[in-house]
Amino acid sequence: MALPTTEERLGSPQRIVRFFTLIMSLVYAALGIWLWLTAHRPSAAGALLPLGPKTRMVLGSVFILYGLIRFVRTIRTQFRKPTPDDFS
């Protein structure tokens, strides 16, 4: 009896990449939301990168926007159904 290959066990590598990019877009958006929610809390003493409230809000907005853009692009490129034009 032959052992199954890695691709047979895990599915296509494209499927793994598809869900990884989707999860990463959600991680970026969640990081942005966290920065927004903690903007008015003081930074911890000895923080690696102490940021002020306005900087946290701007950086949080950038992360949220980037996460949304990646989410939309991932949905459009990885999860859409192929059209007849794709095969020509």
Side-chain angles (χ1 to χ4, degrees), residues 2-3 11 17 21 24 30 32 39-40 43 46 56 58-60 62-63 73-74 79 82-85:
L3 293 174
V17 169
T21 56
M24 284 307 298
H40 296 292
S43 295
R56 282 188 192 179
V58 169
L59 190 59
V62 169
F63 275 123
R73 285 181 61 196
T74 300
F79 292 95
T83 61
D85 296 335

Side-chain angles (χ1 to χ4, degrees), residues 42-53 55-56:
S43 295
L48 182 63
L49 186 61
L51 300 173
T55 308
R56 282 188 192 179

Side-chain angles (χ1 to χ4, degrees), residues 12-23 25 69-82 86:
S12 87
Q14 183 66 24
R15 188 173 132 201
I16 295 171
V17 169
R18 168 185 305 183
F19 288 108
F20 178 76
T21 56
L22 190 63
I23 289 170
S25 67
I69 290 170
R70 277 193 66 150
F71 184 79
V72 170
R73 285 181 61 196
T74 300
I75 294 296
R76 283 187 179 171
T77 59
Q78 302 289 336
F79 292 95
R80 70 179 175 90
K81 296 192 185 292
D86 293 340

